[in-house]
Amino acid sequence: MPEVSTRYEPGTPCWVDLMADDQQAALGFYRDLFGWQGEVGPAEFGGYAVCTLNGRPVAGIAPKMAPEGQPAPPTVWTTYLASDDADASLAAIGAAGGTTLMPVMDVGDTGRMLVASDPTGAVFGVWQPVEFIGAQVVNEPGALTWNDLHTSDVPAASAFYAAAFGIEVAPMEGMPGYHGIHVAGRPVGGLVGLEDDPPGTPSHWQVCFAVDDTDSTVDALVKRGGTVLAPPYDTPVGRIALVADPQGAVFAMITAAR
């Protein structure tokens, strides 16, 4: 049975979403690749689509929207960190040196959210659940399984997330240069420098989806117009590939080591 989440400890990645130039094309691509089901949502929520896997929410896909006179946001997957109090998180983010990009707002009866960037420039969201906790299936093929922060300043980023969310960062054994992100003593993500990213890559959060077979899923992605940025390779935790969808949104996929 899929692993189902019922509550996320504050600071844990709990949701991911994509702002796409062509929402319908993105919905079709991820349906074919991961088996997601999703339809354009109500106009009052900007058409935001909550995609499901086996009937349970797994990720969001929305059309790009920008305030008048502002440039459209980039086509990227955004990681949201759980919070019990979005207003308190906003204050903590500011006190720790972060920058608010979108202040706290209510999302109907589902929850409250904000968007911010850490002191190294990595953008992330914060989600305070009311009726919607976030992803209800994780760590299963087709679902979110990991979130990595790629940062230009590991000590500064570590200090920020510790101060703002109580996240603990510690080197991961057997993986030089890679740090584990822990919430309440449980590993929930990773933190790494930009040394292995292409020159000029800004700090960013990267999402990783679990798959049954990394190689065959990469083949399927290419047939559907995606791009391979790093071909499948083996790591101590599983076989990983870095890819982009046809609209340029970058994500990783992994078949976990058994």
Side-chain angles (χ1 to χ4, degrees), residues 42 237 239:
V237 295
R239 189 160 174 80

Side-chain angles (χ1 to χ4, degrees), residues 4 9 19 27 37 73 90 96 108 155 157 167 184 191 193 218 225-226 244-245 251:
V4 179
E9 290 286 340
M19 300 294 139
L27 288 168
Q37 297 297 313
L90 181 65
I167 288 173
L191 187 152
V218 166
D245 71 19
F251 61 96

